[in-house]
Amino acid sequence: MPTIYLDQAATSFPKPPCVAARMAEYLTQVGANVNRGVYGAAQQAELVTLRLRQRLCELLDFADPTHVVLTPGNTWGLNLVLGGALHPGDHCIVSGMEHNAVMRPLQRLAKQGVTFDRIPCDGEGFLDLSALEALFRPHTKLVVLAHASNVSGTVQDAAAVGRLCAAHGVPLCLDAAQTAGHLPLSFRELGLSALSVPAHKGLLGPQGLGALLLAPDFAKALDPYVTGGTGSASDSEEQPDYMPDKFEPGTPNLPGIYGWEAALAFLQEIGVEAVRAHDEALSRRFLAGIRDLPGVRLVGPGDPARRVGVFSLDFAGQDNAEIAWRLEADYGIQTRCGLHCAPAAHKTLGTFPRGTVRFSTGWFTTESDIDAALAAVKALTAT
């Protein structure tokens, strides 16, 4: 039985063929580190790393490649921001839809004297922007926002949040795990101080890699969370204070860098606008197909223009985990069941602790994949 992969919110699959080819090229033909040599292979690796930073600038409307920090993943980047910007006595604002990549570091910091408030959200997961205004305090140092929910697909009005943050002089960090590569994003227009993205989701790269884009003033004030060798300023035992070395200790994931640079070239050739149009078309098809099915509740917005291709379903009177198992065992449909590392979102949406069955789409998802998933859901709710 063929399988249909509908867990793109966890990681994109399949990858563009160029990704594996470029990773193999590095491993078999290059092998050198960056900032540790001036021989030809090392210079080639440095050029590919620079081109990756430049492509991220082009895709995300960001000005300075030196302020594109390459990280071991989105969670790492968010930890770097939270741990580097917040100190005992500081206050942070988050939404009621955040992933544990934000909430677990924040709960740890709370034990050290950091306080935080959550912006309330409605039953579809949208922020109450009027409530946000009242949450700012004199010691508010940071606002962190998930651009889109990995549970419901809800896309927040990040530009409106950015305007409020600017009015209060508070930095805004955007977690774009579910929107980078799926929606056109502009660091400049959203008024961001930090933007964290993973390689392996909508940006089509390999796992274990991400990027953190930092506005110069925010980068200057941010404390490095991890320090170590950079191959630069090796005469000093102090971490360099220039970018990006300030936040890039240790040996980078160079096979991943080669693969991600190739993935971004592939994405740029397609165009993010084309990806968005593809996602919306699949969303309309999926939403129309489940709208009138008995015993199935869609969690999140019903408007394709206000969401990404992440769909959580709650099967009334049935065990969601069993539904997910039967989807694969009987129909070859691969989904994700549970709380999706986002208990706060499920509490907001009314699906805690039960969780949901999540279907999520990507560039390589087809209309026939959606139709097969809908037919399977219909069959499982008819029994």
Side-chain angles (χ1 to χ4, degrees), residues 94-98 118-121 127 343-348:
V94 295
S95 82
M97 295 292 290
E98 297 306 309
R118 304 177 201 248
I119 311 163
C121 301
L127 295 175
H346 281 279
K347 289 175 183 178
T348 296

Side-chain angles (χ1 to χ4, degrees), residues 141-219:
K141 301 299 183 183
L142 185 67
V143 174
V144 183
L145 177 67
H147 195 196
S149 169
N150 73 312
V151 175
S152 62
T154 308
V155 177
Q156 307 293 355
D157 188 348
V161 176
R163 289 190 292 270
L164 282 171
C165 289
H168 288 270
V170 175
L172 172 60
C173 172
L174 194 68
D175 172 4
Q178 297 298 333
T179 54
H182 289 286
L183 298 178
L185 285 176
S186 171
F187 188 102
R188 176 179 51 83
E189 291 179 2
L190 294 175
L192 303 179
S193 292
L195 173 63
S196 186
V197 300
H200 67 106
K201 300 190 182 194
L203 295 175
L204 302 178
Q207 291 94 327
L209 191 62
L212 181 64
L213 284 62
L214 298 172
D217 57 343
F218 188 68

Side-chain angles (χ1 to χ4, degrees), residues 75-98:
T75 297
W76 184 280
L78 292 167
N79 269 265
L80 196 158
V81 171
L82 288 159
L86 297 173
H87 305 93
D90 290 343
H91 175 247
C92 179
I93 298 172
V94 295
S95 82
M97 295 292 290
E98 297 306 309

